[in-house]
Amino acid sequence: MYKKKIMLLGTGGTIAGKAVNSVETAMYEAGQINIKDLIREIPVLESIAQIECEQVCNIDSADITLEIMVELRNKINKYLSREDIKGIVVAHGTDTLEETAYFLNLTITSSKPVVLVGAMRPATAFSADGIMNMINAIYVAISEHSINKGVLVVMNDRIYAAREVSKTHTTGLDAFTSLELGSLGNVNGEGVNFYQQSLRKHTLESCFSKIDLKNSFPIVDVVYCVAGMSYRTIELFIKNGSQGIVIAGFGNGNINSKFKEKLKNAVKTGTVIVMSSRVASGEIVAGQAAKETGIICAGNLNPQKARILLILALATNKNLNEIQEIFATH
Ligand code: SIN
């Protein structure tokens, strides 16, 4: 029987992690097992798809860099241009999976399925979730229903859009959610079921899908607001060359009143300021004052994803109006 060919890229994470014994699920080393050895433990995959593998890196995803994201993007674009490869699965650590997924969602030049998958328990644990997550990810990658849905994340039997998904639990198997919008669908045995899809621009429609990404990026920092903070971080960041700052503000993008003047001045002197929220769900509604001062509104993007979008916008020399439009559409 004809089986579709999938390229599986290993980057490390808990899915490739090893602990000293099978009951240890918290203290372990991520990124220890090679992707080829990992799938050798799941022989059933051979009956689902033809799988080629490449180890891109083998790291704890806390160590991911923009350079690795670019390398991954370029490899994925190259593999997807091959007629015989029908989809990509990327095994990735869960800690920064949402950032890599959103970066790829904005920069991939193909409508073929690209699926990121991880695990919350190391491969050596009893009841490790990586095996089932991997099987589900392969089913999603070969499904016709996954075409042109943007980059997808498969965890714990659910399919999520890269733009909306977040890690919302530190250790649980149900660590990934799209708090406001929900999952796109689920994987039930062989059944890949979609119920909705993201309407924001992604892959071929993204204004970043065809760009030639260099390995030098503008510096974009994140400031997390807390009650009574000194706000000297923003001054330090600007002094040290930040081209953009994402503020994880209070509630609906609020900041301490004394801080507002500093933000206005930062915009005047050429630092791009994006207002997001430290609240886990909901969106920032740009107030008149923010609009007048040229502060960009992140909408419902969380601070870490707003940073990825701002880096790409600044890397491609977009002006303030264009950046606001990009945040409203991507
Ligand atoms: C990592 O992100 O590499 C470690 C944590 C995990 O994969 O769950």
Side-chain angles (χ1 to χ4, degrees):
M1 198 189 89
Y2 167 74
K3 289 193 276 320
K4 287 185 179 174
K5 189 179 277 181
I6 296 297
M7 177 59 66
L8 173 58
L9 302 175
T11 68
T14 295
I15 194 164
K18 264 186 180 172
V20 286
N21 62 52
S22 342
V23 287
E24 184 55 78
T25 57
M27 305 297 288
Y28 60 88
E29 291 281 331
Q32 297 299 300
I33 305 171
N34 187 284
I35 193 73
K36 284 205 173 98
D37 295 334
L38 199 66
I39 62 158
R40 206 169 291 128
E41 300 300 312
I42 324 175
V44 70
L45 288 177
E46 278 174 25
S47 64
I48 303 172
Q50 300 177 62
I51 299 178
E52 272 186 37
C53 289
E54 184 182 334
Q55 191 76 49
V56 177
C57 55
N58 211 355
I59 57 171
D60 186 312
S61 78
D63 295 332
I64 199 94
T65 60
L66 289 163
E67 288 71 24
I68 297 175
M69 290 187 200
V70 171
E71 186 187 353
L72 207 47
R73 177 261 193 171
N74 291 341
K75 280 184 192 296
I76 292 172
N77 278 343
K78 187 187 79 184
Y79 284 129
L80 289 182
S81 69
R82 264 170 58 182
E83 179 65 27
D84 61 328
I85 297 204
K86 303 300 181 202
I88 303 278
V89 173
V90 180
H92 196 291
T94 63
D95 285 348
T96 59
L97 187 147
E98 65 192 87
E99 282 147 275
T100 303
Y102 189 46
F103 181 89
L104 297 174
N105 193 54
L106 294 165
T107 58
I108 294 293
T109 321
S110 171
S111 59
K112 291 180 188 173
V114 176
V115 181
L116 270 74
V117 66
M120 294 304 294
R121 291 185 180 152
T124 46
F126 285 128
S127 199
D129 52 331
I131 292 179
M132 203 63 219
N133 286 346
M134 181 65 82
I135 293 168
N136 284 344
I138 298 286
Y139 274 127
V140 173
I142 60 170
S143 170
E144 293 291 314
H145 303 300
S146 307
I147 294 171
N148 205 22
K149 295 279 193 306
V151 171
L152 302 169
V153 172
V154 172
M155 288 289 290
N156 203 30
D157 299 344
R158 298 209 168 69
I159 310 165
Y160 296 98
R163 187 185 182 281
E164 314 300 344
V165 72
S166 256
K167 186 172 185 179
T168 54
H169 197 284
T170 51
T171 55
L173 299 186
D174 57 348
F176 280 74
T177 41
S178 285
L179 283 172
E180 186 73 357
L181 298 165
S183 62
L184 300 186
N186 58 46
V187 192
N188 233 329
E190 292 177 25
V192 172
N193 309 303
F194 282 90
Y195 295 96
Q196 53 178 342
Q197 69 185 79
S198 177
L199 296 178
R200 291 305 182 101
K201 289 182 195 283
H202 59 71
T203 55
L204 289 170
E205 286 202 343
S206 160
C207 68
F208 305 110
S209 87
K210 301 214 168 60
I211 62 171
D212 185 15
L213 279 168
K214 304 269 178 312
N215 264 342
S216 81
F217 289 95
I219 300 172
V220 176
D221 294 296
V222 176
V223 174
Y224 191 97
C225 289
V226 290
M229 70 192 272
S230 73
Y231 298 105
R232 68 202 160 122
T233 39
I234 186 159
E235 279 156 330
L236 287 173
F237 283 145
I238 293 169
K239 209 165 127 205
N240 286 316
S242 292
Q243 283 144 282
I245 299 178
V246 176
I247 311 284
F250 302 113
N252 178 18
N254 295 318
I255 41 161
N256 179 297
S257 47
K258 287 187 216 131
F259 190 41
K260 287 182 185 161
E261 233 12 72
K262 289 200 199 309
L263 287 190
K264 270 194 224 163
N265 290 337
V267 175
K268 274 191 205 139
T269 54
T271 309
V272 178
I273 304 289
V274 172
M275 182 59 73
S276 65
S277 179
R278 66 179 200 166
V279 179
S281 69
E283 64 191 1
I284 304 295
V285 181
Q288 197 52 34
K291 279 186 194 155
E292 281 162 9
T293 52
I295 292 173
I296 307 290
C297 173
N300 70 348
L301 276 185
N302 66 23
Q304 56 271 35
K305 287 188 191 168
R307 176 177 170 271
I308 294 288
L309 190 54
L310 184 55
I311 286 171
L312 287 169
L314 290 173
T316 48
N317 301 316
K318 303 284 191 257
N319 66 36
L320 277 187
N321 286 337
E322 290 168 330
I323 296 176
Q324 186 61 83
E325 178 61 17
I326 286 168
F327 270 84
T329 51
H330 285 67

